[in-house]
Amino acid sequence: MLRSLHAKLVLALLGLLGLVGLAYVILTVTTTRLHIQEVTQALNRSLAADLARSQPLIKSGTVDKAALKRVFDMLMVVNPAIEVYLLDAEGNLIAYSAPPDKIKRARVSLGPVRDFLSAGAKLPIRGDDPRSGSGRKIFSAAPVSEGGRLQGYLYVVLGGETYQSVAGMLETSWIMRLGGGVAVASLALIAVLGVLLFTRLTRRLRRLTARVESFRSGDPARPLAPAAATPGRAPDEIDALALTFDAMARRIDEQVAALEEANTLRQELIANISHDLRTPLASLQGAIETLQMKDASLAPEEKRHYLALAHKHSQRLGRLITDLFDLTTLESEDRQLHTEPFSLAELVQDVAQRFRAMADEKGLSLEIDIPLNASPVDGDIGLIERVLANLTENAIKYTPSGGRIDLGVQGGAGRISVRVRDTGIGIPAEELPRVFERSYRVGKERGGGGDGGRDGAGLGLAIAKRIVELHGGVLLVESEPGTGTAFTFDLPAAQTA
Ligand code: ADP
């Protein structure tokens, strides 16, 4: 309980108020006591002088005892708390009104007496109290002289035991009692208001804690609408904290959703890939088993057929595994490009050369259109070749015999674009956005299966797109079913120094 912020704040407030109260009491008592002493001393400032003037206390160098007794008696009547002492010029006590057994010192220091007698002295000035060994009290004093020569001082100690303690002060003064009561009441009021204020402030913090807690525990009904500040009040740090928390919660939710989606995609991909791997693997195993089991009964031609089949499917398997590995590496965050300037025109010619036989075999014409002055580009030549190969291979794969494939390069402002166009089967508009997804293949039966083992696992375009993106570009596709398809991307022209 005491560990809560509210309890700590309340305790701190009460502690501070206690200190303030104590400081107030000490200050009041001290100033009041000094003020009373100042007023008493000021009122009686000329008392000793008046007495000395009314009765010449020293006559012919000796104390006039009768005059002294008259003074003592007079003061006894006026104020019994006042004590009178006659000092010599060095401050030694010569005569006094108090009973001799009460006197504790034989000499009074004259410093305070001289201060008192000097003009403009700041009151109260306290001098030695002969009744106590170390005590000091306010006094009135006057020099006693005869024939112009200083004989000593009349030293009148004022006030007796006035207000020695706070309790005594409160007991004797109703004003002090009233002041004390008002102080205690105002401190209590501040305490109550402070506790109320802290309760109000910490209530908002408690609400926020509950919010965070419900988020942590994954409560599906947790509030995700922003914690708006109370209308009419400027938002403070707690509002800012609530808003920041809501933003953070939303971001976490988004990231969790993205992770879940990525996970689902990954699972789908693994399911698709394992399916795609299983098909050639099963065919490969089938061919090998047939060869093993029917070895004796198979004609040499049949044996060659099964061997060729096994070879074709093992190649397909290898290709799938390579694609999968490449895509994974390309998708890793820290994939570095080995960028260098190279001639895109030459690369396109090389790729065309590589695929010419395949195109001829399928009865397709493969044309290239490259401007004579095509400038070099900056890029990772190995990866760009991969893009061109994937696009060209797809074009050949999805274009029926008699069709045409064009590889074109075009210069632009700072960028050189490449286009691979075919007159093939095309891609339906609704499928276009998905062809770049991993493992996605338009109508799986098309182009797949037994066309010579060149079909992939739907990874070729995903790899091409990723490579183009790593080069800061975009792989675009335009297509019309039955008419053809064109893929375009561009690369930055090489920086010529
Ligand atoms: P695949 O290994 O199946 O070719 P890709 O990622 O290269 O995988 O291509 C994804 C799908 O996009 C293909 O299955 C095909 O349906 C479609 N596609 C790609 N290129 C073309 C093209 N030039 N003409 C028609 N369809 C294409």
Side-chain angles (χ1 to χ4, degrees):
M1 179 62 195
L2 277 181
R3 296 174 71 175
S4 74
L5 179 65
H6 181 253
K8 282 179 188 160
L9 285 174
V10 168
L11 276 184
L13 176 72
L14 294 182
L16 282 177
L17 287 179
L19 281 180
V20 169
L22 193 68
Y24 175 80
V25 168
I26 292 173
L27 196 72
T28 311
V29 167
T30 316
T31 49
T32 308
R33 188 178 287 157
L34 285 174
H35 180 65
I36 289 171
Q37 289 178 350
E38 182 192 2
V39 170
T40 311
Q41 200 169 29
L43 286 175
N44 294 291
R45 186 165 192 135
S46 59
L47 177 65
D50 293 345
L51 286 172
R53 210 178 305 117
S54 70
Q55 303 286 335
L57 295 174
I58 296 184
K59 276 194 191 140
S60 331
T62 51
V63 177
D64 180 345
K65 293 227 167 113
L68 200 59
K69 184 155 184 340
R70 277 197 299 281
V71 169
F72 291 166
D73 291 346
M74 197 155 65
L75 283 177
M76 214 42 177
V77 178
V78 178
N79 187 350
I82 289 177
E83 286 148 19
V84 186
Y85 303 87
L86 189 62
L87 314 177
D88 67 11
E90 273 75 49
N92 297 309
L93 264 58
I94 310 172
Y96 35 85
S97 58
D101 57 321
K102 296 266 179 176
I103 299 303
K104 296 281 181 331
R105 52 167 100 212
R107 190 174 175 278
V108 168
S109 67
L110 289 180
V113 175
R114 287 196 195 102
D115 285 349
F116 178 83
L117 292 175
S118 66
K122 249 200 201 126
L123 302 184
I125 297 171
R126 285 177 303 156
D128 294 339
D129 177 13
R131 277 191 179 227
S132 123
S134 57
R136 292 160 74 78
K137 280 190 170 164
I138 48 165
F139 62 90
S140 174
V144 178
S145 2
E146 193 189 21
R149 263 194 73 224
L150 178 73
Q151 300 291 330
Y153 297 94
L154 188 62
Y155 186 65
V156 182
V157 173
L158 304 164
E161 304 293 309
T162 328
Y163 299 153
Q164 289 297 350
S165 68
V166 183
M169 225 181 226
L170 286 177
E171 240 169 61
T172 41
S173 160
W174 72 269
I175 290 189
M176 290 299 291
R177 276 203 300 278
L178 183 69
V182 170
V184 169
S186 53
L187 287 179
L189 187 69
I190 293 174
V192 171
L193 290 179
V195 169
L196 287 179
L197 187 72
F198 290 159
T199 311
R200 213 174 112 84
L201 282 179
T202 50
R203 190 170 52 220
R204 289 167 58 214
L205 272 179
R206 276 197 299 277
R207 265 194 230 131
L208 185 58
T209 312
R211 228 171 143 79
V212 176
E213 182 53 38
S214 76
F215 181 77
R216 189 192 67 80
S217 60
D219 179 1
R222 64 177 180 264
L224 264 190
T230 313
R233 183 171 56 76
D236 58 14
E237 285 90 340
I238 299 181
D239 294 315
L241 190 64
L243 289 173
T244 310
F245 166 72
D246 284 337
M248 187 195 73
R250 263 196 309 281
R251 197 161 150 64
I252 290 177
D253 274 355
E254 281 164 16
Q255 283 178 340
V256 168
L259 278 178
E260 278 169 359
E261 197 188 325
N263 197 32
T264 315
L265 280 179
R266 199 167 292 274
Q267 280 170 347
E268 273 174 21
L269 177 74
I270 290 172
N272 289 340
I273 297 292
S274 44
H275 174 264
D276 286 323
L277 288 176
R278 217 177 299 133
T279 316
L281 188 65
S283 310
L284 177 64
Q285 284 169 339
I288 294 172
E289 277 166 18
T290 312
L291 278 172
Q292 271 181 335
M293 286 186 326
K294 299 188 180 168
D295 186 35
S297 61
L298 285 176
E301 211 164 280
E302 283 175 311
K303 279 186 190 170
R304 271 199 299 280
H305 167 72
Y306 282 113
L307 271 176
L309 208 62
H311 182 237
K312 185 186 87 176
H313 288 300
S314 72
Q315 272 187 326
R316 194 175 155 205
L317 255 184
R319 189 180 145 89
L320 279 177
I321 291 167
T322 315
D323 278 0
L324 199 55
F325 177 76
D326 288 350
L327 184 60
T328 317
T329 346
L330 284 169
E331 282 185 344
S332 73
E333 297 275 312
D334 50 358
R335 178 66 166 85
Q336 298 287 325
L337 291 182
H338 303 292
T339 309
E340 55 182 332
F342 66 90
S343 162
L344 197 54
E346 279 176 26
L347 185 68
V348 169
Q349 267 165 342
D350 289 352
V351 172
Q353 198 59 36
R354 220 173 93 192
F355 284 95
R356 192 163 297 284
M358 198 198 272
D360 289 347
E361 201 181 303
K362 222 181 152 186
L364 302 170
S365 69
L366 180 57
E367 310 293 336
I368 50 177
D369 173 17
I370 299 167
L372 286 175
N373 56 348
S375 40
V377 292
D378 271 332
D380 187 320
I381 185 166
L383 292 181
I384 297 300
E385 181 178 9
R386 182 78 186 273
V387 176
L388 284 170
N390 282 2
L391 297 179
T392 313
E393 191 179 348
N394 274 350
I396 296 175
K397 202 158 67 173
Y398 299 107
T399 305
S401 171
R404 174 190 164 126
I405 291 154
D406 287 288
L407 302 185
V409 174
Q410 255 190 339
R415 297 189 75 86
I416 316 289
S417 75
V418 190
R419 171 189 292 247
V420 179
R421 192 170 48 197
D422 62 55
T423 57
I425 55 173
I427 304 168
E430 66 276 12
E431 308 259 12
L432 272 182
R434 299 202 60 191
V435 290
F436 297 110
E437 286 176 17
R438 287 182 301 197
S439 212
Y440 188 79
R441 283 189 285 166
V442 178
K444 289 220 168 184
E445 70 283 357
R446 302 189 318 159
D451 72 336
R454 299 305 304 168
D455 53 324
L459 296 175
L461 284 184
I463 291 174
K465 175 176 182 259
R466 178 70 188 148
I467 293 175
V468 172
E469 281 172 359
L470 282 173
H471 283 80
V474 192
L475 181 56
L476 297 171
V477 58
E478 294 164 83
S479 186
E480 198 164 316
T483 308
T485 308
F487 285 93
T488 322
F489 66 93
D490 61 6
L491 291 171
Q495 310 279 335
T496 40

